[in-house]
Amino acid sequence: MFASNNACLVPDTFWLIGIPGLESLYIWLSIPFGSMYLMAVVGNVTILAVVRMERSLHQPMYFFLCLLAIIDLVLSTSTMPKLLAIFWFGACNIGLNACLTQMFFIHCFATVESGIFLAMAFDRYVAICDPLHHTSVLTHKLVGYLGLAALLRGVFYIGPLPLMIRLRLPLYRTPVIAHSYCEHMAVVTLACGDTTVNNLYGMGIGFLVLILDSLAITVSYVMIFRAVMGLATPEARLKTLGTCGSHICAILVFYIPIAVSSLTHRFGHHVPPHIHILLANFYLLIPPILNPVVYAVRTKQIRERLLHILKSGTQPR
């Protein structure tokens, strides 16, 4: 790292603060964060194993659930090991390329997860509004194509973010990032150059992903509710809506923490910095923890398979 003539720096490494103001509590904070990360890993690996073992779960809904589990593992693993290293060992430094790679994985797979929720909404729409053609429309091949499309969209949308930082913003006022991971805006705000293009692109991607995806999901559920209200009996309506319960819960678990974190970041100017950073970490941890719990509790096939595995493990040999 060296200083340029205008006192800006050309860093080859950055320094992640972690959670400012709570440095004295790092060892204690590592306990809940480490426990939540372990829960996320165990829960999502369990979902993947159960769906693989149980042939009755080889259906579009559960394939999408497996994609969610893989994405959640990537998201949580992109941030938590580094955060725990900061807590335990004070390992705050991160190379420029490693920082940009972390940024890409975080934002890319959050975008992919939103795309998977949109695909799951389409699956529920076909299953309820056109049940006779559900298996012929939502084939295994189409599920694969939808997953690939969500991944390519994430790469296409997010790929330019680290590239624009690398190519357009070589100079920085300080290498110290006031965050626990390399979040896009946390890095861009340190740059000495004109960041207008980076800011506008970041906001545009946020609009395309969060606003348009959530609107499309809302439209699909409006059509689903209209179809459900046309059913003859309340029991049939309740049973049909029950098939959407897990998906709705997972959507809320994903979008609400992001919305709260974004609104706090944009308008909560008087909120202490450690609250901002804790919220930002929670929105990457809460979905990976709660998604397996939601589907295990609300999905009869997964619940029964888990109970069978647990009973088999406790029986004497």
Side-chain angles (χ1 to χ4, degrees):
M1 175 190 309
F2 63 88
S4 67
N5 293 333
N6 59 359
C8 288
L9 302 171
V10 183
D12 52 8
T13 61
F14 286 104
W15 188 268
L16 294 168
I17 287 182
I19 304 177
L22 300 180
E23 289 85 354
S24 62
L25 301 175
Y26 276 0
I27 293 297
W28 296 108
L29 286 173
S30 69
I31 297 173
F33 275 98
S35 300
M36 287 189 289
Y37 177 53
L38 181 62
M39 288 171 59
V41 171
V42 171
N44 285 286
V45 169
T46 300
I47 290 293
L48 290 171
V50 169
V51 173
R52 184 179 185 279
M53 293 167 59
E54 185 59 53
R55 294 193 62 83
S56 65
L57 298 178
H58 292 184
Q59 302 173 28
M61 175 180 173
Y62 303 106
F63 290 145
F64 285 130
L65 177 57
C66 287
L67 293 177
L68 279 185
I70 294 170
I71 293 166
D72 286 339
L73 286 170
V74 173
L75 278 175
S76 56
T77 303
S78 296
T79 56
M80 283 305 108
K82 182 59 180 178
L83 180 60
L84 293 174
I86 293 173
F87 287 162
W88 289 335
F89 311 114
C92 299
N93 61 309
I94 183 170
L96 174 60
N97 291 332
C99 181
L100 296 179
T101 301
Q102 185 189 52
M103 178 191 302
F104 171 78
F105 272 91
I106 292 169
H107 295 295
C108 176
F109 279 89
T111 302
V112 175
E113 183 154 4
S114 183
I116 295 299
F117 280 125
L118 184 57
M120 293 175 78
F122 174 67
D123 169 62
R124 290 299 86 203
Y125 168 76
V126 176
I128 292 173
C129 297
D130 193 11
L132 296 179
H133 296 94
H134 180 240
T135 54
S136 60
V137 173
L138 266 296
T139 61
H140 293 181
K141 182 180 290 187
L142 181 60
V143 171
Y145 286 149
L146 291 174
L148 180 61
L151 176 61
L152 292 177
R153 186 186 74 150
V155 173
F156 178 76
Y157 280 1
I158 304 302
L161 286 180
L163 287 177
M164 286 194 296
I165 290 176
R166 183 75 175 183
L167 299 176
R168 298 187 71 256
L169 305 174
L171 301 176
Y172 295 85
R173 291 187 298 274
T174 173
V176 178
I177 300 174
H179 214 295
S180 61
Y181 58 83
C182 291
E183 195 269 337
H184 175 248
M185 288 308 300
V187 175
V188 169
T189 53
L190 304 179
C192 292
D194 182 11
T195 62
T196 303
V197 174
N198 301 74
N199 291 332
L200 289 177
Y201 187 82
M203 288 189 292
I205 293 301
F207 174 81
L208 285 174
V209 174
L210 294 179
I211 305 300
L212 294 186
D213 282 9
S214 58
L215 283 176
I217 291 170
T218 301
V219 169
S220 70
Y221 269 97
V222 168
M223 299 173 71
I224 287 172
F225 288 140
R226 287 181 58 187
V228 169
M229 291 302 105
L231 296 176
T233 64
E235 291 78 11
R237 296 172 193 166
L238 187 62
K239 182 178 179 180
T240 305
L241 284 177
T243 64
C244 302
S246 300
H247 184 226
I248 294 173
C249 290
I251 289 172
L252 295 176
V253 163
F254 178 74
Y255 284 107
I256 288 178
I258 291 181
V260 171
S261 179
S262 299
L263 290 173
T264 304
H265 182 75
R266 295 287 179 185
F267 305 109
H269 303 298
H270 301 294
V271 177
H274 65 271
I275 299 297
H276 286 292
I277 296 174
L278 285 172
L279 287 173
N281 280 283
F282 286 150
Y283 98 71
L284 293 177
L285 261 182
I286 290 175
I289 292 172
L290 292 186
N291 281 344
V293 175
V294 166
Y295 279 95
V297 169
R298 296 191 58 88
T299 306
K300 181 180 178 182
Q301 294 95 322
I302 294 179
R303 187 171 64 249
E304 289 179 346
R305 183 64 184 179
L306 278 174
L307 291 174
H308 176 72
I309 293 173
L310 291 174
K311 288 179 180 178
S312 299
T314 56
Q315 286 179 352
R317 296 180 180 275

